[in-house]
Amino acid sequence: MASGDIAQITEALAKTHVGEVELSYKGRGLKLDNAESVKEMVKEIEQCQGLQSLRLEGNTLGVEAAQAISKALEAKSELEQCHWSDMFTGRLRSEIPPALKSLGNALMTSGARLTQLDLSDNAFGPDGVKGIESLLKSPVCYTLRELRLNNCGMGIGGGMVLASALTECFKQSSAAGSPLKLKVFIAGRNRLENNGATALAKAFKVLGSLEEVHMPQNGINHPGITALAAAMKHNPNLQVLNLNDNTFTKRGSIAMAEGIRHLRCLKVINFGDCLVRSEGAIAIAGALREGLPFLRELNLSFGEICEAGALVVAKAVQGKADLEKLDLNGNCFGEDGCEALREAMESMNMEELLGSLSDDEGEPDEDDEEEEDDDDEEEDDDEEEGKEDDIEENGVNGTKDIIEEKEKPHCSSEFASFLISPSAEKLMSFGAKRIQLIDQVDVSDASKVSEVFLKTSSVYEDEPDVKQAVFETTDALLRKAFSNSQSSSLIFSLIVNLGLLKSEDKKIKKVSVLPGHLLALEHAAAQEFFPADQAGILEAFVSRNGKVLESCSSARDALKTTLVKRTSA
């Protein structure tokens, strides 16, 4: 056989595709300015029968060239996949929307039904989103399964336009009898911020079909994270959630923990570089304990998590048979903390699953904590302004607010007086009414419950009647609080109040720890109403940071012993 025949056969085989019919111009670096420059490409598109996938990424496409390609696409009704990332390099931003509109109009004319649309790395900004808005709303996208818009510079405005288009597509496709079932959504590095993320969250809630969501590096803070968390609840088949390099803080972390708690299909969580901090890590650990049975990867790296918080997370992944990697690198453990974490993972035969800790930041010093306070001040300013009047009216500690407004018994003023100036004599004077008064405490606010607990237990004395009065009162308070699903928030508040953890919540202040505080906790921890998982969290902090309780070493050791018994039972 002649060499020329062999070459022809080889070329023919190269163009033969089993299953999917694809034309690829990927990565050729072609500068396609006008119709003449795409003449050969247009011819190949026209001659390709049953074209299903067109790859144009890695070239640069001008308006006239896009129009010529569009003309050829008008007859390609079987097209399903458009891989069009990185195809406007060096183009003016004003060129991109009309080019996208031409391509989109061609698809709408053809009657194609897309399953994949990738326009990543095109930096087209909000106007570029408007360029594909009609396409996204059209029947072409009723069948869309994957939408990739990574690194497009959409901004807040583009995010809102995109959210509206997806919502409209769902409504129109549902009316047509075939609801949009988008599975993969990728939109990292787009400067979506809170408003853009919140708009998209509303669309996600409507869709309910997502399996992968990737939105890293978007400048999203806790309001946007909270909105996304609420939306995730409505996507029960979610398997991958990547929000790397956004800013959760405590509030966002707690909301996200609640959002993912019951997602049984979730396999990969990437909350790295999200400033979840220790309180957020503990909240996420709570979600791990309660659900996520098929989790494979958890990334909480570079989140300013302390050693005790990491140990709580490590214990929470015990029993996750599918776990392949736990990434806690770049946090604030210190050498001893890193070793303690490795030992904890080894004790569960999971040491090989722990990622590198080579970038650990070390234990935070006082200067770091002051900087953290400064970072949080801007976030809290608006909230604090609205509270100044309340502080003036109710006092620095807001004691009057501890009692619920809806139903105050005649002795509420006496109880408020006790909280302002606690004493054993006042507590004893209430007699059996103590429990009735405790029933009026608003247990929906963990910080208020913690304040009542600490003020009541501060009057502890070894005298039997006083001891009994304190334990009965604090037990009743915690029993009510834990039954109100406030266990994690309450433990956070108590840990911070006792100086075991630095909090970003300025409402929670450290107190001068007294033996009564720890002995009342020890007594409550021994009771059945005290959740074992919360005992485990408290034990981790008392064990690792117990030096701050040195002034009450005997009571601290008694508390630690009881907590260990509860967690090992």
Side-chain angles (χ1 to χ4, degrees):
M1 184 179 291
S3 60
D5 294 335
I6 294 174
Q8 289 178 357
I9 293 173
T10 302
E11 184 178 355
L13 288 172
K15 292 184 177 181
T16 301
H17 301 271
V18 178
E20 181 180 277
V21 180
E22 178 179 272
L23 275 179
S24 177
Y25 303 93
K26 180 179 179 180
R28 296 190 185 182
L30 302 174
K31 193 170 187 298
L32 308 172
D33 294 323
N34 49 44
E36 183 64 27
S37 64
V38 294
K39 185 176 180 180
E40 193 62 31
M41 183 185 295
V42 167
K43 183 178 179 181
E44 291 178 354
I45 292 174
E46 290 174 341
Q47 292 179 348
C48 185
Q49 299 299 312
L51 179 62
Q52 293 174 290
S53 176
L54 179 60
R55 309 195 76 103
L56 297 176
E57 63 264 57
N59 300 290
T60 177
L61 196 64
V63 176
E64 188 178 334
Q67 290 170 343
I69 293 172
S70 298
K71 193 67 177 176
L73 291 177
E74 289 180 356
K76 300 302 170 182
S77 61
E78 296 179 47
L79 188 62
E80 296 177 355
Q81 300 179 24
C82 295
H83 301 280
W84 296 347
S85 63
D86 188 23
M87 66 176 191
F88 294 113
T89 302
R91 299 292 171 182
L92 296 174
R93 181 167 289 187
S94 60
E95 294 182 81
I96 301 176
L100 290 172
K101 285 181 180 179
S102 293
L103 294 168
N105 288 338
L107 296 177
M108 288 186 278
T109 299
S110 73
R113 294 293 184 268
L114 294 184
T115 59
Q116 295 183 36
L117 177 60
D118 186 356
L119 289 166
S120 299
D121 301 316
N122 279 313
F124 47 52
D127 289 341
V129 184
K130 294 177 182 177
I132 60 171
E133 183 179 9
S134 296
L135 173 65
L136 291 173
K137 293 179 179 179
S138 75
V140 176
C141 290
Y142 287 2
T143 52
L144 198 62
R145 296 295 178 265
E146 298 185 15
L147 179 59
R148 300 171 184 266
L149 296 168
N150 201 58
N151 191 31
C152 289
M154 290 189 288
I156 296 172
M160 290 180 167
V161 172
L162 176 61
S164 176
L166 290 174
T167 302
E168 184 63 24
C169 182
F170 179 82
K171 291 179 179 178
Q172 296 291 343
S173 59
S174 298
S178 181
L180 171 64
K181 295 181 180 179
L182 188 67
K183 294 183 177 181
V184 177
F185 179 85
I186 300 177
R189 300 184 66 187
N190 271 292
R191 306 193 312 273
L192 294 170
E193 301 182 15
N194 290 330
N195 290 341
T198 299
L200 284 167
K202 292 177 181 177
F204 296 164
K205 186 175 180 180
V206 171
L207 292 174
S209 57
L210 292 169
E211 295 180 6
E212 293 188 27
V213 174
H214 302 261
M215 297 175 65
Q217 205 171 345
N218 269 296
I220 308 170
N221 298 324
H222 75 84
I225 295 299
T226 298
L228 288 170
M232 295 306 113
K233 293 181 182 180
H234 297 270
N235 288 268
N237 295 319
L238 190 68
Q239 297 180 30
V240 179
L241 181 56
N242 176 9
L243 295 173
N244 188 284
D245 198 9
N246 289 291
T247 306
F248 282 36
T249 63
K250 172 186 171 182
R251 282 175 284 185
S253 299
I254 291 175
M256 186 56 69
E258 183 61 30
I260 66 175
R261 190 180 304 275
H262 301 297
L263 296 179
R264 292 187 56 81
C265 298
L266 195 55
K267 298 177 181 179
V268 178
I269 297 174
N270 186 344
F271 297 158
D273 203 13
C274 283
L275 207 64
V276 299
R277 295 187 175 142
S278 298
E279 292 169 291
I282 293 169
I284 292 168
L288 294 175
R289 283 191 301 272
E290 295 180 25
L292 312 180
F294 304 112
L295 187 68
R296 288 205 313 254
E297 296 181 22
L298 174 62
N299 183 348
L300 294 177
S301 61
F302 299 93
E304 294 190 3
I305 301 169
C306 72
E307 173 193 349
L311 291 172
V312 173
V313 173
K315 291 177 182 178
V317 300
Q318 186 175 16
K320 303 294 182 187
D322 294 338
L323 190 69
E324 297 174 1
K325 184 176 182 180
L326 173 62
D327 189 348
L328 290 168
N329 197 18
N331 284 296
C332 307
F333 307 152
E335 290 184 14
D336 292 343
C338 289
E339 186 59 31
L341 181 58
R342 292 189 188 99
E343 290 176 359
M345 293 295 286
E346 185 176 358
S347 70
M348 300 184 293
N349 296 318
M350 302 176 77
E351 64 272 20
E352 294 181 359
L353 308 183
L354 181 63
S356 169
L357 299 175
S358 60
D359 294 318
D360 185 73
E361 297 286 342
E363 296 182 72
D365 54 31
E366 290 299 321
D367 291 338
D368 292 333
E369 292 181 350
E370 288 177 8
E371 288 179 10
E372 179 180 306
D373 286 344
D374 292 340
D375 290 341
D376 294 328
E377 279 176 5
E378 288 186 16
E379 192 172 292
D380 291 337
D381 277 348
D382 291 340
E383 293 183 17
E384 293 302 321
E385 285 177 9
K387 295 175 184 175
E388 289 178 356
D389 293 338
D390 291 338
I391 291 175
E392 290 179 7
E393 180 180 345
N394 297 328
V396 174
N397 295 320
T399 302
K400 291 181 181 178
D401 286 340
I402 292 174
I403 307 300
E404 290 183 307
E405 293 292 334
K406 64 182 181 181
E407 186 180 355
K408 291 185 180 180
H410 68 278
C411 46
S412 292
S413 59
E414 297 177 62
F415 190 49
S417 175
F418 165 76
L419 294 173
I420 292 171
S421 180
S423 70
E425 290 76 17
K426 289 181 181 178
L427 183 65
M428 295 295 293
S429 70
F430 295 137
K433 293 187 295 186
R434 289 191 301 269
I435 305 305
Q436 180 186 3
L437 292 169
I438 287 298
D439 284 341
Q440 306 309 312
V441 175
D442 179 8
V443 294
S444 66
D445 188 326
S447 64
K448 292 178 181 178
V449 175
S450 181
E451 182 181 355
V452 174
F453 175 86
L454 293 170
K455 288 190 174 184
T456 303
S457 57
S458 70
V459 306
Y460 173 90
E461 296 176 3
D462 283 331
E463 199 279 317
D465 288 343
V466 175
K467 181 190 299 186
Q468 182 180 353
V470 169
F471 288 166
E472 284 180 354
T473 307
T474 53
D475 281 359
L477 175 65
L478 295 188
R479 182 183 292 108
K480 182 183 180 186
F482 285 138
S483 67
N484 198 54
S485 301
Q486 293 294 315
S487 54
S488 293
S489 297
L490 176 54
I491 291 298
F492 292 156
S493 294
L494 287 170
I495 288 172
V496 173
N497 285 145
L498 295 173
L500 297 171
L501 175 65
K502 179 72 175 179
S503 175
E504 63 189 65
D505 190 340
K506 306 223 172 9
K507 293 188 298 181
I508 307 177
K509 303 296 183 183
K510 178 182 175 181
V511 300
S512 297
V513 180
L514 301 172
H517 295 144
L518 306 184
L519 292 173
L521 259 182
E522 187 271 334
H523 187 271
Q527 311 305 314
E528 289 187 4
F529 68 77
F530 202 103
D533 60 334
Q534 301 305 309
I537 293 172
L538 189 55
E539 188 273 327
F541 279 87
V542 171
S543 297
R544 306 311 305 179
N545 300 335
K547 59 187 177 182
V548 303
L549 306 176
E550 193 62 41
S551 62
C552 308
S553 57
S554 178
R556 176 199 64 194
D557 294 343
L559 172 60
K560 181 179 176 181
T561 299
T562 297
L563 292 171
V564 170
K565 287 181 181 178
R566 281 302 311 275
T567 55
S568 59

